[in-house]
Amino acid sequence: MSSTPLAQAVQSTFAPGGPLAQAAEGFVARDGQTQLAQAVARTIGQGGVLVAEAATGVGKTFAYLVPALLSGERVLVSTATKTLQDQLFGRDLPRLARALGVPARMALLKGRSSYLCLHRLEFAGESSDLRMTGARHALSKIERWSKTTRTGDLAELPGLDERSPVIPLVTSTRENCLGADCPKFRGCHVNVARREAMAADVVVINHHLFFADLAIRESGMAELLPTVRVAIFDEAHQLNETGIQFLGQQLATGQLLDFARDVLGAGLQQARGLCDWTQLASGVEMAARDLRMAVGQVRGASRLRWTAEAPDGVEAVAWQASLARLHTALTDAAAALDTVSELAPDFVRLHERARLLAGRTQRFAAPCDVALVRWADVSQSLRLVESPLDIADTVRTRLLAAPEGEGPARAWVFVSATLGDDARLSWFTQPCGLQDAEVLRIGSPFDYARQAALYVPAHIARPADPAHSGDVARLAGDAAARLGGRTMVLTTTLRALRSIGDALAERFPVSSGIEVLVQGALPKRVLMDRFRAGSAGGQRGCVLVASASFWEGVDMPGDALQLVIIDKLPFPPPGDPLVEARCRRIESEGRSAFADYSVPEAAVALKQGAGRLIRRETDTGLLVICDTRLTQMGYGRRLLAALPPMRRITNPAEFDAALAALRDAPVGEQGNWASNRPPAHVQ
C-alpha cells in the first residue's frame, strides 16, 4: 500500500470509525471500495490513466470523490446523464465535503439546452408551436419561474416534461445563440454557469458536454480543461457511443425546420417587408420535407445503410435532387439574411446557420470518407449521420497526448460497473484508445448466491420463432400475477416491446390491481416514479416493459422490483450500419467479429440488464433470461460467466417455489435467501 499523505488520508477516511462512518448513517467499510479509492489516490498522485470496473455495491462514487476532494487538486467529474450530474452536485459532493471538512468550491455545468435563454424567452410567445396541448400553460410557468431562478437550470422547474415542445423555444443552441451580441448577454445563465465553473475547485459535467466541446470548442470546456489536473469519468461505459455522436457530422430535418421557423420569426419581427420571409422559410421547410419523403415509408424507427450516393433503398437520382433543392433553399436564405445582417445580431447568426447547413448538405451529397461510416436514422423525421467507428484516435491525440503544464502529470480515471468481460476490459479500452492504461476489476460485495437466482426456462420458444414474444409475455404475466407486480421485462427490440406490452396490458386490465407500464407511454422519470409508488404501503402492483435506456441507470432497491425478465440475449443488431462497419474492420484484421465484437457487446449489455435486480445488500430477487442459447450454445458459457454468481434454477417447479418465497416474505423483509447483514450505505 502506498504511504503517501493522500493514501493515508484516504485509508483513514474509509476506516471503521472514520469520517464517513461518523457522517453517513449506515455506512459500512468495504474492502473493494477502499481498494478503488486507493487506486484513484495513486493515479492522482503520480498521474496517468486508471480504468476501473467496480461492480454494483462497491460504492464507486465515494471511492473516487474522497481522494479527489482530499487531493486539493482542481477536479473535473463527468457522468453520463444530467440526472446523475444533479445527484453528484446536489447530494454526494456537499455531503462528502462536510464529512471531510474540505472547503471546496463546486460548480455544475451543463449544455446550453439545459438553461433558460432570456432572449429567446421574449419571442417564445409568438411561436406557432404553442398550439400544442399544454404548451402555453408550460410557457407561462417558465415565465413566472424565470423571475426568481438564479441558475436558469430547467431541471429546477418541477413538473416540466423533458419532452415539452416549449423547451426548444426558450433555450438556445450553438447555432442560434447570439453570443456577445445578445442583448441579454450580461445576465445569460449559460455564461454565469461557465464563469462559476472557471472559479470552482470541482466541476461536474456530463459526457455529452465534454465531447461537444472536443468537437466544436464552444461549450466553455476549452478554457476549463487545461486548468484541471484530475479528470474522472463515471459511467464510462457510455463514453464511446456518446463520443462518436459529436465527433462526426449530422444533418436533421428537425434542425432545418427549426431554422426555417427562426428565419420566419426574426424576419417578420425585425425586418418585415425587406424580404419575402414567408417564401424563404417555406422553401427550406418544403425542401426538408421532400428530403424526408425521398426516403419513403419506413415502419417504426430504422437505421439505413448508406451506399455510394444514397441510403439503402432510396433512388439515387431522386435523393441527389432532393439534396440539391435543399442546398438551393439554404443558399437563397443565406443570401437574403446577408442583406439585413446589419439590422440585428439575430440575422448575423441566422446567416451563419444557413451557411453551415448548406455546407453539411453538400457534404452528404458527396461520397463518404473511407475512415468514416454514414447512415440515415429514419422515423417520422430524418437524421443523416457520419461518424468515426470509435473515439480511440481522439482520446490518444487530443486528450492523452495533450501538452502537460508544470507539476505532476494529469490524472485520468475511468470507472463504471460494466466495462468488459475479459481481464483487460478490452470492450472498453480498445475503442477508447486506452489499451496502455492501468486496469482494475473489483467484484461486488453482494452475496448473490443467497440474494438472487437465475432461471433460463427451457420451454420458451427459440428467439427466432414468432411465438417467442408470446411465450415471454405469458411467463411474465404468470409470474407478475404471483408476485402482485414487482416485475420488469427488458426487451432487445421495440417490436418485442410492443408485442409483450400489448399482451400484458390485455392480461391485466385496469380492474386487475396490476398496472402495466410500457416505455414510451410516459417520460422515463414518470414511469420510474409510478413503478416505485406501486410498492408503497404494500400495494405491489406494477409491471414495467422497457427497452434501450432502461437496461441501465435504473435503481429500484427493496421490494419494488424483485423479478427481472430479459427476452433475448442482447447481441448488437446485425443490420445496423455502425455495427456492420465495425465488424468489417475486425474481419479485415483477421479476427472474428462475432467473438471479438458481438459476444463482448452482449456480455456487457447482459451485465447491465442483470444489474437492475440487486441494488442493496438486503435485496432479493429472480433473473429470468428467456433465451435457450445461453445454455445450449458454446458462447453461452462466456455470457454466463459475465453475470453475477447467482444460484441457478433449472426447472419450472423450482421457479414456482422461488416466486412463492418472494411473494410470502413480508414487505421490507428478505425471506430465506438474504444474508442477515445490516443494510449498508452504497455510493
Side-chain angles (χ1 to χ4, degrees):
M1 183 185 298
S2 174
S3 59
T4 66
L6 178 57
Q8 293 170 0
V10 167
Q11 187 70 27
S12 63
T13 298
F14 285 98
L20 286 184
Q22 297 175 31
E25 183 180 354
F27 174 82
V28 174
R30 293 180 182 81
D31 291 340
Q33 188 177 46
T34 305
Q35 182 186 357
L36 175 58
Q38 289 286 8
V40 174
R42 184 174 61 253
T43 304
I44 291 174
Q46 65 191 24
V49 184
L50 172 67
V51 172
E53 181 182 76
T56 304
V58 167
K60 59 184 174 65
T61 306
F62 279 15
Y64 66 70
L65 286 181
V66 166
L69 287 170
L70 291 175
S71 71
E73 299 285 358
R74 194 140 193 252
V75 179
L76 180 75
V77 180
S78 180
T79 190
T81 66
K82 290 183 282 188
T83 300
L84 291 173
Q85 271 187 277
D86 292 334
Q87 177 180 307
L88 282 170
F89 178 75
R91 188 188 73 183
D92 298 336
L93 274 166
R95 183 182 187 181
L96 273 179
R98 287 193 300 269
L100 300 175
V102 176
R105 294 170 297 176
M106 303 167 192
L108 180 68
L109 185 60
K110 299 180 180 178
R112 61 171 63 252
S113 63
S114 295
Y115 298 99
L116 176 68
C117 174
L118 299 172
H119 177 61
R120 288 177 63 80
L121 179 64
E122 287 188 347
F123 303 102
E126 301 174 27
S127 173
S128 60
D129 289 357
L130 293 180
R131 292 194 297 263
M132 304 176 82
T133 304
R136 193 163 291 279
H137 173 72
L139 179 60
S140 299
K141 193 173 181 179
I142 292 172
E143 288 173 336
R144 292 193 298 272
W145 168 76
S146 70
K147 295 176 173 58
T148 59
T149 179
R150 186 190 72 82
T151 68
D153 186 346
L154 290 169
E156 295 176 358
L157 192 54
L160 180 64
D161 188 342
E162 61 263 34
R163 302 177 299 182
S164 171
V166 174
I167 292 178
L169 304 180
V170 299
T171 58
S172 67
T173 64
R174 183 179 69 90
E175 288 82 9
N176 62 33
C177 175
L178 302 180
D181 293 327
C182 178
K184 303 289 185 180
F185 180 76
R186 196 166 184 179
C188 173
H189 291 301
V190 172
N191 289 323
V192 169
R194 291 177 180 174
R195 287 196 296 270
E196 291 180 350
M198 288 301 300
D201 303 305
V202 181
V203 184
V204 182
I205 65 167
N206 60 61
H207 302 338
H208 287 81
L209 180 66
F210 182 83
F211 281 107
D213 179 70
L214 281 184
I216 58 180
R217 314 301 294 173
E218 186 271 342
S219 67
M221 290 287 300
E223 297 80 24
L224 178 63
L225 188 58
T227 70
V228 168
R229 242 222 76 227
V230 179
I232 300 171
F233 295 86
D234 195 358
E235 301 297 321
H237 64 278
Q238 294 194 18
L239 273 180
N240 186 49
E241 296 305 317
T242 301
I244 64 171
Q245 294 178 38
F246 292 94
L247 298 177
Q249 297 283 339
Q250 298 189 24
L251 179 67
T253 52
Q255 282 179 298
L256 297 164
L257 296 177
D258 287 346
F259 169 74
R261 181 193 63 207
D262 290 348
V263 166
L264 182 62
L268 294 181
Q269 291 163 17
Q270 302 179 67
R272 185 183 292 270
L274 297 184
C275 294
D276 190 340
W277 301 112
T278 301
Q279 181 179 344
L280 288 167
S282 177
V284 173
E285 182 177 334
M286 290 178 62
R289 297 190 189 282
D290 286 347
L291 189 68
R292 169 62 188 87
M293 292 300 293
V295 176
Q297 295 299 316
V298 176
R299 185 176 179 181
S302 180
R303 276 187 175 186
L304 300 183
R305 303 179 191 84
W306 199 294
T307 54
E309 294 184 306
D312 262 7
V314 179
E315 205 279 315
V317 173
W319 176 254
Q320 289 291 326
S322 296
L323 286 172
R325 286 193 295 273
L326 176 59
H327 186 265
T328 298
L330 289 166
T331 52
D332 287 348
L337 290 162
D338 193 34
T339 65
V340 295
S341 60
E342 296 181 358
L343 297 181
D346 299 78
F347 293 120
V348 176
R349 201 69 185 100
L350 283 168
H351 178 255
E352 293 173 358
R353 286 171 68 186
R355 293 183 61 186
L356 174 69
L357 292 169
R360 289 187 184 173
T361 302
Q362 275 190 315
R363 182 182 185 95
F364 281 104
C368 181
D369 188 297
V370 293
L372 305 173
V373 59
R374 184 182 288 179
W375 70 90
D377 272 335
V378 188
S379 55
Q380 290 183 336
S381 60
L382 174 66
R383 186 169 64 107
L384 311 183
V385 185
E386 183 180 272
S387 82
L389 299 184
D390 57 39
I391 64 172
D393 286 343
T394 297
V395 169
R396 283 192 294 260
T397 60
R398 300 176 66 179
L399 292 185
L400 305 185
E404 299 284 354
E406 296 181 3
R410 186 173 292 165
W412 301 91
V413 177
F414 302 86
V415 61
S416 173
T418 48
L419 291 176
D421 70 331
D422 66 343
R424 290 298 303 166
L425 300 176
S426 304
W427 175 86
F428 173 75
T429 56
Q430 285 186 357
C432 292
L434 298 172
Q435 294 94 322
D436 296 331
E438 177 188 352
V439 170
L440 176 66
R441 302 184 77 187
I442 300 176
S444 174
F446 296 158
D447 188 352
Y448 280 103
R450 297 189 63 187
Q451 292 178 250
L454 167 65
Y455 179 43
V456 183
H459 64 279
I460 295 285
R462 293 183 64 82
D465 192 316
H468 181 266
S469 289
D471 284 356
V472 174
R474 276 188 292 275
L475 184 146
D478 292 344
R482 297 276 306 274
L483 287 176
R486 296 187 281 172
T487 299
M488 176 185 287
V489 182
L490 295 174
T491 71
T492 54
T493 65
L494 293 178
R495 178 181 297 177
L497 172 78
R498 289 188 290 267
S499 176
I500 295 170
D502 290 346
L504 287 172
E506 184 176 347
R507 169 79 178 265
F508 298 113
V510 176
S511 60
S512 69
I514 291 179
E515 182 179 14
V516 177
L517 305 171
V518 181
Q519 179 183 348
L522 293 166
K524 181 177 181 179
R525 182 178 57 196
V526 176
L527 287 173
M528 300 307 303
D529 289 344
R530 187 172 294 186
F531 190 95
R532 291 188 187 99
S535 65
Q539 299 174 7
R540 313 172 186 178
C542 287
V543 178
L544 174 62
V545 185
S547 186
S549 63
F550 283 78
W551 282 69
E552 59 181 277
V554 172
D555 187 18
M556 290 188 289
D559 297 304
L561 175 61
Q562 293 196 294
L563 175 61
V564 172
I565 299 173
I566 294 175
D567 73 330
K568 297 177 184 179
L569 296 178
F571 288 112
D576 184 281
L578 188 55
V579 170
E580 290 183 339
R582 287 170 173 166
C583 288
R584 284 196 301 270
R585 181 172 66 178
I586 290 172
E587 296 286 353
S588 71
E589 296 168 353
R591 298 186 290 140
S592 165
F594 183 74
D596 293 344
Y597 178 70
S598 297
V599 173
E601 285 281 328
V604 168
L606 204 57
K607 287 170 69 173
Q608 288 283 356
R612 300 315 97 212
L613 183 62
I614 303 297
R615 307 297 300 174
R616 300 292 185 271
E617 292 180 340
T618 51
D619 288 356
T620 57
L622 290 164
L623 173 66
V624 180
I625 301 178
C626 299
D627 193 330
T628 53
R629 292 177 295 178
L630 191 60
T631 55
Q632 296 175 358
M633 303 299 291
Y635 56 78
R637 289 192 296 273
R638 183 174 171 185
L639 297 177
L640 282 169
L643 291 171
M646 303 175 180
R647 70 181 179 92
R648 291 285 298 277
I649 288 175
T650 59
N651 59 65
E654 289 183 10
F655 181 56
D656 288 344
L659 288 172
L662 289 174
R663 179 197 63 203
D664 296 338
V667 175
E669 296 186 13
Q670 282 64 62
N672 58 10
W673 289 350
S675 71
N676 294 319
R677 288 174 293 179
H681 182 78
V682 179
Q683 288 291 341

